[in-house]
Amino acid sequence: MQPDTRSGPTSDGRAPALRHDVVRVRGEGAPVLVLHGTPGGVDTADVMARFLPSDGFRVVTVSRPGYLGTPVRRGRSSLDDDAERAVALLDRLGIDRTGVLAWSGGGPSAYRLAVRHPDRVSSLVVAAGLSARWTPPRPTPAEWLVTRTRAGAVVSALAARVAPGAVVRSAVAGVSSLRGAALDAHVRDVMADRSRRAFVLDLAATGNSSGAHRDGWRNDVANLGAIRSLGLGAVRAPTLLVHGDADTDVLPEHSERAAREVPDAELLRLPGGTHFAVWDHRDAAAVQERVRNHLRR
């Protein structure tokens, strides 16, 4: 989440410009810091944040350590370091308190930010977020080719243009227990809805762990695999948890644990929801409105 690779002011006394591949800011209104999953980058965070209008929110999207130009610094790229970088970025942007929207592997960084700096987090939304130790599942050879190689990234981008239905089906099946008629119905619904379809297709183009994502993937695997406790009981921000009950990428038990441990947390369970439920569920529009209202608190 490093906002800039340079240090100190420029020659005219101004702060150096934010790197566009690391931090992006748009809109006016309630500040929201958006933390992407694993793998990802600021481009993934931008896709996540599309439902937050620029005329109501000041949206800050970032690349977490190792992704798309954000450096992984030896001994300074833990989950807690990620939280400290977020605070430094907020300081630089002149933001005292912010809502936080996190997804999947970004959940632990969001929880640690809320624990370490309760005065800086006004509200917290965690979608299908990890709340305990995680290790990546062993991929099949086909999954490894598609998700962990440069060639796979190229193929995925091409397939999204020429065979979008097949990409949506593969993506949804890969992160959910939906099969047969239930999978067919879900894919039809997503393909018929422009915003839901665009989310899945655009996410597929950003979810590869090779190339400019490789260092971030390795850093996340190390950090998430070493979690002992996130200190969830110390979170003080109003917290909304959203999880689909058909999610196989991050099991619903992660949000259930957070709901038990985070004081007064709300848990929104989405029947038939995939790992993308906030964005691709049949009730996504209503869910997103609830998220917006929570982030305005």
Side-chain angles (χ1 to χ4, degrees), residues 23 40 182:
V23 178

Side-chain angles (χ1 to χ4, degrees), residues 3 7 25 39 64-65 85 88 110 115-117 120 124 126 129 136 141 173 176 196 214 225 287-288:
S7 61
V25 184
R64 295 192 293 103
R85 273 185 287 267
V115 168
R116 292 172 66 88
H117 297 280
R120 306 304 295 269
L124 176 62
V126 180
S176 77
R196 293 160 67 195
R214 189 181 303 279
V287 172
Q288 290 168 10

Side-chain angles (χ1 to χ4, degrees), residues 28-60:
E28 296 181 356
V32 178
L33 175 67
V34 183
L35 302 179
H36 63 79
T38 302
V42 69
D43 48 0
T44 303
D46 285 343
V47 175
M48 291 169 56
R50 281 178 184 164
F51 71 94
L52 301 176
S54 292
D55 60 355
F57 293 93
R58 187 182 184 193
V59 178
V60 181

